Amino acid sequence: MRDYFLRRLLLIPPTLLGVTIIVFAITRLVPGGPLERAIMETQQMSQAGGGQMAGQGMAISDEQLEALKEYYGFDKPILQSYAEWLGKVVTGDLGSSYRYNEPVWDVIKERFPVSVYYGVVTLILTYVVCIPLGILKAIRHRTFVDNLSSLLIFVGYAIPGYALGSLLILFFAVRLEWFPMGGFVSFNYGELSTMEKALDLINHSLLPLICYLVGSFALVTLLLKNHLMDNLAADYIRTAVAKGVSFRKSVTRHAMRNSLIPIATTFGQNITLLVGGSFLIETIFDIDGFGLLGLSSILDRDYPVVMGVVLLASLLLLIGNIISDVLVALVDPRIRFS
Amino acid sequence: MLNLNPQTLKKLRRFRQIKRGYYSFLILAGLMVLLAFGELLINSRALVVSYEGELYFPTYTAFHPGTDFGLDYDYEVNYRDLKEKFAADGSGNWLLMPLVPYNAFENHAPGGIFTPLAPNAAQQHYLGTDTTSRDILARLFYGTRIALIFSIGFMLSVYLIGIAIGCSMGYFGGVFDLLFQRLIEIWSNVPFLYMVIIIFSVIPAAFSVPTRIAILLAVMVLFSWTGMTYYMRTETYKEKARDYVAAARVIGASDSRIIFKHILPNVLSTLVTFMPFTIVGAVSAITALDFLGFGLPPPTPSLGELLKQGTANLRTAPWIVISAFGTLVALLTLVTFVGEAVRESFDPKTYSIYR
């Protein structure tokens, strides 16, 4: 058991290495990178600035080009610059952002709490709603309640969160003006009292949370329902009922425990939600989180930030998978990995 | 006739019994037929033109220059104007327009200014027009068609690669399996949408629209075939350990025969169960990419592009976002219902609860 998890942990670095090599190579090989962007911007600036010397301003001198290449680290071959990037990462330095002129780690750190907030709240609400709902649906299988909730869950599953977001903004923020159009907190957040702060936060996060949640109920609820029904039909529940255990107790004590195992397997994957968020929802609601950072860094060709985001996201995903396995082993002592 | 084995027939019967899924399937099938013959319903070309005693059917044929129908220009006939002209002439010439006489690309601005027009039956813009005065119903209709064709192409390619690799991993096992497992673990960790955005943003705009759509499809498939391999690998492992495979091998069946004749048909139900969800995933992904501006190249009609326009014009033109959202959700919900019904009918469980 311990060996298995040790091996899994040891497999993380090579996988991360592979992922970062692929992403690094793609960012390097694809044209239109930061260098081209900078050259274009310089050209535009010189065109706008020096009207009389138009022909001269168009070109960039060779020294300037070299300086730019060096600044963006494009003066060396891919492998060498990847090795340099890796060497810095190992010492905890993710480089610095082209756009913000700050260390990448600081840029990411600033946005982290926002995504973690939405991730944690979504996670908690999902489990709070799904576990009771799953039990209810299992016990009332093929009744009106079951059918109706299935209908709602599937419609919810089919709704893309960001699309719902745009509709919610239309009705609740633009028409009714009940909620703000977006943002994480108000501008004057710092001046508010604790109570007002909480209210402000809730006010801002209600609509995005609906979008995060709308699609997330289907998986957990149905997973729980189906496994609970499997277990309720199993012999050990029949034995328990035959020996005089009440139905309620056999559900909550016996069947539930076994039905939570598949939930545990998906728990680790939720870690990505914690950090990744959804850049589409973050874009719609203009929430300055991890997802939006990843997207805007790609659009800005801010490759150090892209690499940092990818590295962190894959690391957490890999750890999440291992946590899932650990949880499964904890919940169900019969399961032994080898 | 199709020769279906009794087990499959039973599954199909069970599928018909699940009403929600079955009706969704019927609606979807009807929609597919409508979409296939969409030019007859929503098009700027007339269905029938009767001119000087002769009948023309311009819908699917090459375009008619205006001079064909006694007009003074030699570019494509504007059939809506022609209809009015015929009506004014009173010469016995007539033409029949489709229900919605607009195509997805033309800018029809009655006032001469490109501005979104609210839904309006008199102009036959039943869902209004978008910011560049294109008919929304036409764009939604053809956008849905393209999204569906795209998703089906996506699904087929992903399955082809996923099945081939997953099956061989499960069947041959050993070093091959181990090597590919590592490779897939790495590949599946590469953030798919990021990569698509990076790569797609550099496809030259000079390429033709179909080429760019094909490149987009290829890039999307390239980064999403991994999901299928997990299921195929475990399924093949399971099937391979069964007695009938051993029996086939004893008789002397070749590897390829065992895979194609014995194992594949038995894992088919797993594949079928995932199909609708792959479609939902593909439609969602392409819409999301369109929404961000990295999907189907303009001016291709697309749901995501309409959503984007709608969110940019929430205040001034709410009908754009409402119709795009409605269409998207209706489509995805129908496919999800079918998927859930398929899953249920292929994996039936009869439960007996003791209480």
Side-chain angles (χ1 to χ4, degrees):
Chain A
M1 196 70 174
R2 198 195 57 205
D3 291 353
Y4 172 79
F5 285 116
L6 265 181
R7 216 165 32 189
R8 286 286 299 271
L9 280 173
L10 285 179
L11 274 175
I12 288 184
T15 310
L16 277 183
L17 215 60
V19 172
T20 46
I21 286 177
I22 291 175
V23 177
F24 195 87
I26 289 176
T27 53
R28 260 317 175 74
L29 296 175
V30 157
L35 187 62
E36 280 90 340
R37 177 167 283 242
I39 293 171
M40 221 169 64
E41 273 166 17
T42 325
Q43 280 177 349
Q44 274 165 356
M45 250 167 10
S46 55
Q47 263 177 321
Q52 315 98 312
M53 315 199 330
Q56 217 174 4
M58 295 288 280
I60 267 183
S61 73
D62 284 348
E63 296 113 74
Q64 276 174 312
L65 192 65
E66 283 309 310
L68 272 176
K69 271 191 180 168
E70 204 186 318
Y71 175 69
Y72 289 115
F74 277 57
D75 52 342
K76 300 177 196 95
I78 294 186
L79 264 179
Q80 198 188 338
S81 44
Y82 177 77
E84 275 173 22
W85 178 82
L86 194 67
K88 269 163 59 182
V89 168
V90 172
T91 62
D93 177 15
L94 285 169
S96 66
S97 157
Y98 300 152
R99 184 181 163 199
Y100 304 99
N101 269 328
E102 272 179 74
V104 171
W105 179 240
D106 290 351
V107 178
I108 292 178
K109 209 165 57 185
E110 257 173 56
R111 277 132 185 108
F112 224 63
V114 179
S115 294
V116 170
Y117 165 77
Y118 277 108
V120 170
V121 176
T122 309
L123 203 60
I124 294 174
L125 285 178
T126 307
Y127 284 114
V128 164
V129 173
C130 290
I131 293 179
L133 188 64
I135 299 175
L136 182 77
K137 282 169 71 65
I139 295 173
R140 301 242 179 284
H141 182 51
R142 289 266 156 84
T143 59
F144 177 71
V145 182
D146 184 31
N147 288 334
L148 183 75
S149 54
S150 287
L151 190 80
L152 290 178
I153 284 176
F154 284 128
V155 173
Y157 175 77
I159 293 178
Y162 67 96
L164 179 70
S166 52
L167 214 62
L168 287 178
I169 290 184
L170 171 64
F171 282 114
F172 293 107
V174 175
R175 285 283 164 84
L176 298 172
E177 294 184 1
W178 287 356
F179 297 103
M181 289 273 288
F184 186 57
V185 286
S186 301
F187 286 117
N188 58 349
Y189 186 70
E191 303 154 19
L192 301 175
S193 67
T194 319
M195 194 59 207
E196 285 172 324
K197 271 184 182 171
L199 272 177
D200 186 60
L201 193 61
I202 293 172
N203 200 18
H204 276 83
S205 48
L206 199 71
L207 294 185
L209 274 178
I210 293 175
C211 302
Y212 275 112
L213 285 171
V214 66
S216 65
F217 288 148
L219 183 72
V220 181
T221 309
L222 288 173
L223 213 57
L224 186 67
K225 182 200 166 184
N226 293 339
H227 284 269
L228 194 57
M229 285 182 56
D230 273 352
N231 283 314
L232 284 178
D235 285 342
Y236 72 94
I237 295 292
R238 178 161 53 172
T239 314
V241 172
K243 288 178 95 176
V245 179
S246 72
F247 181 66
R248 169 184 284 273
K249 217 170 187 174
S250 57
V251 172
T252 52
R253 288 282 172 79
H254 300 259
M256 260 310 278
R257 188 180 167 138
N258 284 326
S259 308
L260 284 176
I261 296 167
I263 307 272
T265 48
T266 59
F267 182 82
Q269 276 136 34
N270 289 322
I271 270 203
T272 35
L273 190 76
L274 284 186
V275 290
S278 161
F279 57 77
L280 287 160
I281 297 179
E282 289 186 4
T283 313
I284 284 268
F285 287 100
D286 200 17
I287 300 164
D288 208 3
F290 198 65
L292 191 60
L293 176 70
L295 182 69
S296 57
S297 64
I298 283 180
L299 298 183
D300 295 338
R301 303 278 184 247
D302 195 348
Y303 287 145
V305 177
V306 174
M307 291 302 294
V309 168
V310 167
L311 181 72
L312 207 62
S314 352
L315 177 67
L316 287 164
L317 181 70
L318 291 169
I319 293 177
N321 286 338
I322 296 180
I323 291 179
S324 281
D325 287 350
V326 173
L327 275 177
V328 172
L330 282 180
V331 179
D332 188 355
R334 287 170 307 179
I335 293 175
R336 284 280 166 267
F337 293 103
S338 57
Chain B
M1 262 311 275
L2 262 175
N3 227 345
L4 295 170
N5 68 22
Q7 221 184 345
T8 316
L9 282 176
K10 202 171 166 191
K11 282 171 185 165
L12 288 179
R13 253 202 313 281
R14 233 183 270 123
F15 178 71
R16 284 187 62 168
Q17 276 163 9
I18 303 169
K19 289 282 175 278
R20 192 166 60 211
Y22 183 56
Y23 289 131
S24 304
F25 174 73
L26 289 185
I27 295 173
L28 264 181
L31 189 69
M32 295 272 200
V33 175
L34 276 190
L35 288 171
F37 297 102
E39 277 81 5
L40 298 175
L41 293 171
I42 300 178
N43 198 348
S44 59
R45 289 181 177 180
L47 297 175
V48 191
V49 182
S50 163
Y51 180 66
E52 313 267 297
E54 217 173 316
L55 287 181
Y56 297 85
F57 301 93
T59 312
Y60 289 108
T61 50
F63 84 98
H64 288 280
T67 46
D68 277 10
F69 299 122
L71 297 165
D72 52 0
Y73 52 82
D74 54 5
Y75 47 87
E76 167 132 45
V77 181
N78 184 331
Y79 291 96
R80 291 188 302 272
D81 292 350
L82 187 66
K83 189 176 183 179
E84 280 171 28
K85 184 170 169 286
F86 282 171
D89 286 352
S91 55
N93 295 329
W94 54 270
L95 62 81
L96 184 67
M97 289 302 284
L99 282 175
V100 179
Y102 301 99
N103 69 30
F105 301 105
E106 64 182 328
N107 314 98
H108 177 252
I113 306 161
F114 290 163
T115 168
L117 199 71
N120 154 351
Q123 296 265 15
Q124 292 186 294
H125 287 303
Y126 298 105
L127 290 178
T129 62
D130 69 1
T131 44
T132 45
S133 292
R134 294 172 296 195
D135 187 65
I136 289 180
L137 185 55
R139 283 190 78 71
L140 279 181
F141 191 81
Y142 291 107
T144 310
R145 181 157 92 173
I146 289 170
L148 279 177
I149 294 173
F150 187 90
S151 318
I152 291 170
F154 174 82
M155 184 189 77
L156 291 178
S157 336
V158 165
Y159 274 37
L160 206 68
I161 303 177
I163 291 172
I165 294 181
C167 243
S168 356
M169 278 167 72
Y171 190 79
F172 298 113
V175 182
F176 182 80
D177 185 24
L178 215 71
L179 202 76
F180 258 92
Q181 259 187 303
R182 293 281 78 73
L183 201 82
I184 284 172
E185 189 166 327
I186 292 172
W187 200 248
S188 61
N189 264 299
V190 175
F192 150 74
L193 280 175
Y194 283 4
M195 290 302 108
V196 176
I197 290 173
I198 292 185
I199 296 174
F200 192 74
S201 60
V202 296
I203 299 178
F207 286 7
S208 73
V209 169
T211 322
R212 294 170 74 194
I213 294 180
I215 294 176
L216 180 67
L217 183 64
V219 173
M220 273 178 70
V221 170
L222 192 65
F223 284 101
S224 40
W225 54 270
T226 48
M228 205 60 228
T229 52
Y230 295 113
Y231 304 110
M232 287 308 295
R233 178 177 166 270
T234 42
E235 286 284 313
T236 316
Y237 255 125
K238 259 198 295 193
E239 294 298 320
K240 196 190 159 197
R242 289 220 174 144
D243 290 342
Y244 72 86
V245 173
R249 194 171 289 152
V250 166
I251 297 173
S254 64
D255 280 347
S256 62
R257 188 184 162 84
I258 291 178
I259 290 178
F260 288 108
K261 284 274 173 184
H262 296 277
I263 293 182
L264 263 186
N266 278 302
V267 298
L268 207 66
S269 62
T270 318
L271 292 179
V272 172
T273 339
F274 282 112
M275 273 182 188
F277 298 100
T278 313
I279 298 271
V280 170
V283 173
S284 310
I286 189 71
T287 319
L289 281 171
D290 282 339
F291 182 81
L292 292 169
F294 296 100
L296 302 167
T300 319
S302 90
L303 300 175
E305 190 255 349
L306 271 177
L307 267 180
K308 186 184 174 185
Q309 276 192 28
T311 41
N313 299 288
L314 279 174
R315 259 175 231 274
T316 46
W319 56 88
I320 302 179
V321 76
I322 292 171
S323 47
F325 179 79
T327 313
L328 183 62
V329 171
L331 183 70
L332 293 181
T333 310
L334 285 176
V335 183
T336 311
F337 280 170
V338 174
E340 205 43 44
V342 168
R343 178 170 286 179
E344 215 178 309
S345 56
F346 276 62
D347 178 32
K349 280 181 184 139
T350 38
Y351 296 101
S352 43
I353 292 181
Y354 312 98
R355 52 165 96 208

